Amino acid sequence: MGNTILVFMGNLGFPEFIILLILVGIPGILWIWALIDLLTGRFANSIEKLIWLVAVIFIPFLGALLYILIGRRQKIRTANV
């Protein structure tokens, strides 16, 4: 039984790789992007930052997606001089 699982995992073809990329890679990149943006950003209220952090960590894909769509607007904008 153990050998068949290893053989199956070793025979990933192009379609399986694309499916794996869509199901794991893209949400993973989105989660990392949201987490880095959240941790490096400045918020007017530290409670908002904490709530977004909890949402992104404990609800990974949905929390990251909501943060990128809604939460990024709540950050303090700094003027580039």
Side-chain angles (χ1 to χ4, degrees):
M1 171 107 180
N3 291 336
T4 58
I5 292 173
L6 291 177
V7 169
F8 174 73
M9 290 179 68
N11 289 331
L12 285 178
F14 185 72
E16 291 89 3
F17 178 73
I18 296 299
I19 292 171
L20 203 67
L21 181 67
I22 290 171
L23 294 178
V24 177
I26 294 172
I29 291 170
L30 183 71
W31 184 76
I32 290 171
W33 177 31
L35 196 60
I36 290 172
D37 188 68
L38 176 63
L39 293 174
T40 59
R42 294 186 56 202
F43 285 78
N45 188 351
S46 61
I47 298 298
E48 289 177 358
K49 186 173 187 174
L50 181 64
I51 290 171
W52 280 117
L53 184 65
V54 168
V56 168
I57 289 176
F58 289 114
I59 314 168
F61 179 68
L62 183 63
L65 187 64
L66 287 175
Y67 171 74
I68 289 176
L69 294 176
I70 300 169
R72 293 186 72 202
R73 291 186 219 141
Q74 297 175 353
K75 292 191 326 183
I76 297 174
R77 302 274 188 232
T78 57
N80 293 334
V81 177

